[in-house]
């Protein structure tokens, strides 16, 4: 909701399409990339590994903000260079909000220059990978970040 307010957007209403129905036992992963082929590659990587996660996609940072509110992901796989709201800003917004700061963030970028990686980590990313990436490594990174974000969520709830 903070994201919507900050960007002058109206609140979500009942008429808007809802996020996909999700088995409550499954971890939720939001895949954000402006390239449809990358979104498909990532979702297929999870399908091939039979990973028990619910996946949702977004094509840019604006749509990612909406999906964070509706889908309530446990982890975001995030491209950095996107039109409108880039991945750096999405990281900052997720980390700035007490209701979303526990969400794990894995940055995947085709621009893995040292300054971009450093900036992404400063903005709140948990880890990063360069494109092209190994799908097996992607799954390993996701599992590792989910475990770390579980610990972060417990620590946040203990200090709240």
């Amino acid at each position: 909701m903070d994201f919507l307010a900050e960007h002058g957007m109206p609140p979500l209403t009942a008429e808007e399409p809802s996020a996909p129905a999700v088995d409550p036992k499954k971890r939720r992963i939001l895949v954000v990339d402006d390239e449809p082929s990358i979104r498909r590659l990532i979702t297929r990587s999870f399908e091939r590994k039979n990973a028990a996660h619910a996946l949702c996609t977004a094509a840019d940072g604006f749509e990612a903000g909406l999906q964070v509110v509706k889908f309530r992901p446990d982890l975001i796989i995030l491209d950095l260079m996107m039109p409108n709201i880039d991945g750096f800003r999405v990281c900052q917004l997720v980390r700035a909000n007490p209701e979303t700061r526990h969400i794990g963030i894995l940055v995947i970028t085709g621009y893995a220059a040292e300054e971009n990686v450093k900036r992404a980590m400063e903005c709140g990313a948990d880890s990063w990978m360069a494109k092209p990436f190994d799908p097996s490594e992607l799954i390993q990174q996701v599992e590792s970040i989910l475990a770390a974000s579980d610990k972060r969520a417990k620590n946040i709830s203990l200090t709240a």
Side-chain angles (χ1 to χ4, degrees), residues 30-87:
L30 174 59
V31 178
V32 185
D33 200 299
D34 59 325
E35 296 179 50
S37 61
I38 298 296
R39 291 192 308 270
R40 279 191 304 275
L41 173 63
I42 293 170
T43 57
R44 287 183 182 149
S45 296
F46 284 94
E47 291 166 1
R48 286 186 189 118
K49 295 290 183 180
N50 293 321
H53 301 298
L55 297 167
C56 183
T57 62
D60 59 31
F62 180 82
E63 190 178 345
L66 293 173
Q67 291 299 347
V68 165
V69 172
K70 293 161 77 174
F71 185 62
R72 307 199 52 82
D74 298 299
L75 182 132
I76 301 170
I77 298 174
L78 181 65
D79 184 23
L80 286 179
M81 304 303 177
M82 298 181 291
N84 303 317
I85 303 170
D86 65 24

Side-chain angles (χ1 to χ4, degrees), residues 82-157:
M82 298 181 291
N84 303 317
I85 303 170
D86 65 24
F88 299 109
R89 187 69 180 134
V90 173
C91 278
Q92 291 170 329
L93 292 167
V94 168
R95 289 295 178 244
N97 186 330
E99 294 181 25
T100 61
R101 74 175 124 203
H102 68 280
I103 297 172
I105 301 173
L106 172 60
V107 166
I108 297 182
T109 184
Y111 301 94
E114 184 178 344
E115 62 270 10
N116 288 336
V117 170
K118 182 179 180 205
R119 183 174 170 209
M121 300 305 284
E122 288 170 351
C123 289
D126 291 294
S127 189
W128 67 277
M129 294 178 69
K131 293 178 187 175
F133 56 88
D134 176 352
S136 295
E137 184 182 339
L138 171 72
I139 303 295
Q140 285 180 300
Q141 286 262 22
V142 163
E143 296 305 329
S144 175
I145 294 169
L146 283 171
S149 66
D150 286 345
K151 289 179 186 175
R152 181 171 46 240
K154 285 180 186 174
N155 289 338
I156 289 170
S157 67

Side-chain angles (χ1 to χ4, degrees), residues 5-19:
E6 182 173 326
H7 293 283
M9 298 167 49
L12 298 176
T13 64
E15 296 87 40
E16 295 185 45
S18 61

